[in-house]
Amino acid sequence: MGRLVIDYLEDTRLKYPDKTAFIDKDRTITFSGLYDEAIHIAFELIKMRLFKRPVLMFMDKSISLISCFLGAAYSGNFYSPVDTKMPEERIRKIVRTLEPAVVITDRIHEEAVRSIFTDIVVFVFEDIINRPIDVTSVLEVKNNIIDTDILYVLFTSGSTGDPKGVIINHRAVVDFTDWISECYGFDDTTVFGNQAQLYFDLSIQDVYAPLRNGSETVLISNRLYSSPVRVWKTLLQHRVNTLVWIPSMLSLFANLNILENVQKASLRCVLFCGEVMPVRLLNYWIGNYPDTIFANLYGPTECTEACTYYTIDRKFEDNEVLPIGKPCENCEVILLGEDNRVIDDTDVTGELCVRGTCLSCGYYGDPDQTDKVFVQNPANDRYTDLIYRTGDLAHYNEQRQLVYDCRKDHQIKIRGYRVELGEIEAAASSLEGVSYSCCLFDGRSESLILAYTGNAEPDVLKQSLVLMLQDYMMPTYLKRLDHMIFNNNGKIDRKALASLLIPD
């Protein structure tokens, strides 16, 4: 196997030159066509004598954006995609941190980009791919790239709301892509239905597994998700058989009872990652697709995409919590107690820490924040051995499987008891009439606020929760919302909910 992600494309374009690689709402591209566009992008960057420099990508989810990713990689530079609908002030914060050498956009966004990036070189995709190139110069640069060179920087929000640029190198993406492909049998017959935006780490296998395996990815326009039936028609049209989606999106199909009212898809594998999957809604999917592989993946952006996984192998009751399983290949997970000692016992909660090739190289331009969470392994005082402290709490169950509890800052103390907000959410989500739920803690009044959507009346919901929760865990207030608030990645937006429901 190759050591760089572009080695995947080198091999696959020779094996499957005319096979479809990606489909978006506007066009289809083969592996040879993808290579050609990537080389055009790379040559333009090489002409500027750029090497190991950041290239900002300002484009919507599209084949063109993927070509730009690979072009940056071929040129020995690294890419950083941003949401084109992101507020301008946040874009400027990212630019101040990243200091990109160039911005690549498309004709649709050219005017907006030139008004924002007034002192940075701007390339327009449609112009670049029609210019003459020298392939030899690109391949010469490729020989100088090593697998620990940066592939991309993805910006996420920290606890302060300021963007943090997570650095991921070629080796980490190759390692992850090799593992997930082997674990779940991705091959040249696999067709991915991409749901995640390409600036979100959940899209990694949708982009790179096709390059490795000769698979195909359908880039589903995010505009379609306001109409789940149209999404489903797209899956059927393109014979999609593999989904790697966030739980909120799977839950949407379950809450609307879509699966029982549409034609069956040929789903082989459904993986989910990014947040907790309510078991009641997972059971709905399994009930409609009993022969499909379902798996729960866990991992923050700082661990490339996933560092643990659990393939569903038994029946779970609606009020149970799914394990996050065991470490992915070439990863190690350590649970640390408050005294920094390693926890091996079952049912003892500790902070989930990760070591291995999957780890980010830190936060771009932010050594102080990097040093706070990428730290020396306290179990090893003999040599440098970095781990990433995720800020997530977990424990081992009786089967020695990891179980996610909550974020450290979501474990609160009330009336002298430690309470995990995720446990309250899991109880609420297991009940009929609840579509989505999120529990918040108001520290000043020491009250628990359960926000939810669905047709369950607050009084009826409260009566059900009384039978499931200890009295000190009972929400003080139940707030039924007309709709749940989600962030740009499709996850429940806790900060926005807190601003709405907790008074200043």
Side-chain angles (χ1 to χ4, degrees), residues 438-453:
C438 180
C439 192
L440 306 170
F441 178 63
D442 183 349
R444 286 179 298 181
S445 63
E446 288 209 341
S447 57
L448 294 167
I449 304 166
L450 180 68
Y452 72 97
T453 59

Side-chain angles (χ1 to χ4, degrees), residues 10 13 35-36 38-40 42-44 46-47 74-75 132-145:
E10 292 283 326
R13 77 178 181 94
Y35 172 82
D36 181 66
I39 295 298
H40 274 80
F43 183 66
E44 204 68 26
I46 290 168
K47 280 200 306 183
Y74 264 110
S75 69
I133 59 172
D134 175 10
V135 176
T136 303
S137 65
V138 176
L139 298 181
E140 286 175 353
V141 169
K142 178 178 178 291
N143 291 331
N144 296 319
I145 306 170

Side-chain angles (χ1 to χ4, degrees), residues 111-158:
E111 183 178 349
V113 165
R114 293 194 185 280
S115 68
I116 298 173
F117 306 100
T118 55
D119 55 352
I120 304 174
V121 175
V122 175
F123 286 162
V124 177
F125 174 81
E126 290 87 345
D127 293 339
I128 296 174
I129 59 170
N130 290 312
R131 293 172 183 166
I133 59 172
D134 175 10
V135 176
T136 303
S137 65
V138 176
L139 298 181
E140 286 175 353
V141 169
K142 178 178 178 291
N143 291 331
N144 296 319
I145 306 170
I146 63 175
D147 67 354
T148 53
D149 285 339
I150 303 174
L151 175 61
Y152 62 74
V153 175
L154 293 186
F155 279 87
T156 66
S157 291

